[in-house]
Amino acid sequence: MKDTVKPLGQSLTASPNIGLNANYQFDASQVSQDIIQYYSQVGLDYEPWSANYNMHFGYYRTGMNPFKREPLLVEMNNQVLSRLKLDTDNLNQVIDLGCGVGATARYCAHNYDNTYITGATVVPWQIEKANIFTEQAKLQNRASFHLIDYRNTPFPDNSFNGAYAVESSCYADGTSKATFINEAFRILKPGARLVVADGFRKRIKSNPLFEKAFRLVCKGWSVDTFANIHDFTQALRDAGFVDIEVKDASWRALPSVLHVPWVSMKYFFSNIAMKKGERTMQKMHFIAPVMGMVIGMHRRDFAYYLVSARKPE
């Protein structure tokens, strides 16, 4: 495999017409090594969930077949991107903040004309796989993927026509994710939108069962903590965002969540039970989605939200 992860400031060619800070250097010391290790070790293990590596939950629309998981996952991409309200008559620069291996970015490139997507991730392995998949889809002229901390990017102010994060904002700091929000605000153009799909806490403290399951989910997915929806929306307001919309999509995500037990058991027997040796990451990768169902049942404490906000003109 050729080396597809190159130093920033020398070889990073992001979307057309966006200038870059040539002095930008990705600082791995500022990133949790657990995140990098987790996705490097279990990244390929997401294939049983999604052949296209849509590493997120789905969105059910009336009339869809709830037993077919991939269309549900693709529909979540559609729900997120449609909330960007892009004007495809003109060139759009869009950034994926926590792109994984680029499934949502490729969906955007394939379905939105005049749009170029820049993917940001802190995991070198994901960039390598994203580039391979994107070349196979013949979309390499519409999307690129780079080693970037989305809390500190190399882009000038007012660079992008849209920004989104699909189940990746949870990796930012604290319960407000203010570092993530403030950087998104800075690099968005006036009038552009930020869209986030993720799980959120609704209360500071809950019962012992929830708290135990919550800690296991965080440990299993190498998340410090999920955002609190009240802290998150306040951080959006503090950053300067307006037209903040919060949609509880928990019931829409539920049909895909109900696929978890079956996929998890298949994963357990094929990747854990039948193999010898230390497989701590794989075991936690199995436990986390199962415990995620437990916290999801605590409707007073946790929900899956689609959040959008606009940077003022």
Side-chain angles (χ1 to χ4, degrees):
M1 182 188 300
K2 65 181 180 180
D3 182 10
T4 53
V5 182
K6 301 178 181 178
L8 293 177
Q10 299 177 21
S11 60
L12 174 59
T13 53
S15 41
N17 304 322
I18 291 184
L20 295 168
N21 178 359
N23 296 318
Y24 178 86
Q25 293 292 327
F26 174 73
D27 187 355
S29 69
Q30 299 300 310
V31 177
S32 168
Q33 295 305 299
D34 287 344
I35 298 172
I36 298 173
Q37 183 182 14
Y38 169 73
Y39 281 105
S40 297
Q41 288 194 18
V42 306
L44 286 174
D45 293 347
Y46 276 91
E47 186 176 12
W49 177 255
S50 169
N52 295 316
Y53 287 91
N54 282 291
M55 296 156 63
H56 53 256
F57 288 114
Y59 188 99
Y60 174 80
R61 284 188 297 102
T62 303
M64 296 184 73
N65 185 341
F67 298 103
K68 291 187 176 181
R69 185 168 59 256
E70 194 69 22
L72 298 174
L73 309 183
V74 170
E75 182 57 28
M76 180 62 77
N77 294 334
N78 178 53
Q79 291 293 323
V80 169
L81 295 169
S82 65
R83 284 167 167 77
L84 292 177
K85 300 183 179 179
L86 299 173
D87 176 9
T88 52
D89 290 333
N90 299 295
L91 176 64
N92 289 288
Q93 314 283 357
V94 175
I95 186 164
D96 185 326
L97 301 167
C99 62
V101 296
T104 305
R106 285 187 291 279
Y107 178 88
C108 184
H110 182 75
N111 290 280
Y112 284 78
D113 295 334
N114 299 325
T115 301
Y116 190 99
I117 305 91
T118 299
T121 177
V122 298
V123 184
W125 177 89
Q126 291 184 333
I127 298 172
E128 294 176 3
K129 298 302 290 187
N131 285 335
I132 291 170
F133 294 150
T134 303
E135 288 178 8
Q136 290 173 347
K138 296 180 170 35
L139 292 170
Q140 64 269 28
N141 294 326
R142 299 284 308 282
S144 59
F145 306 92
H146 309 286
L147 201 61
I148 295 173
D149 183 345
Y150 61 36
R151 302 167 302 172
N152 175 30
T153 74
F155 305 110
D157 297 352
N158 308 322
S159 290
F160 291 94
N161 303 92
Y164 64 85
V166 183
E167 297 182 19
S168 57
S169 67
C170 54
Y171 287 99
D173 316 89
T175 60
S176 70
K177 311 302 178 186
T179 53
F180 160 84
I181 289 170
N182 291 337
E183 183 67 356
F185 185 88
R186 183 186 71 80
I187 62 177
L188 281 173
K189 294 180 179 180
R193 294 176 181 273
L194 168 67
V195 180
V196 172
D198 219 325
F200 291 82
R201 290 195 69 150
K202 299 164 73 173
R203 297 195 296 176
I204 297 174
K205 194 73 174 175
S206 183
N207 64 70
L209 174 61
F210 176 89
E211 297 297 341
K212 176 65 174 179
F214 182 79
R215 287 192 296 272
L216 287 171
V217 168
C218 291
K219 182 179 180 180
W221 282 331
S222 297
V223 175
D224 179 49
T225 188
F226 284 80
N228 177 290
I229 189 61
H230 308 294
D231 295 345
F232 190 84
T233 52
Q234 184 59 53
L236 288 170
R237 288 189 288 270
D238 291 343
F241 281 105
V242 296
D243 296 342
I244 299 168
E245 298 179 359
V246 178
K247 175 182 174 59
D248 188 335
S250 302
W251 292 112
R252 299 290 185 176
L254 180 61
S256 63
V257 174
L258 293 177
H259 286 251
V260 166
W262 169 243
V263 176
S264 294
M265 290 309 299
K266 286 173 59 180
Y267 177 79
F268 176 80
F269 284 109
S270 62
N271 290 276
I272 301 174
M274 305 303 293
K275 296 183 179 180
K276 297 180 180 180
E278 178 59 39
R279 300 183 62 81
T280 302
M281 283 283 182
Q282 284 73 19
K283 290 175 183 176
M284 292 309 302
H285 183 60
F286 163 73
I287 292 171
V290 176
M291 290 298 100
M293 297 187 69
V294 175
I295 66 174
M297 288 187 290
H298 287 73
R299 296 285 294 126
R300 294 179 60 192
D301 301 289
F302 198 85
Y304 194 101
Y305 289 108
L306 282 166
V307 182
S308 63
R310 181 175 61 85
K311 183 174 179 176
E313 298 281 359

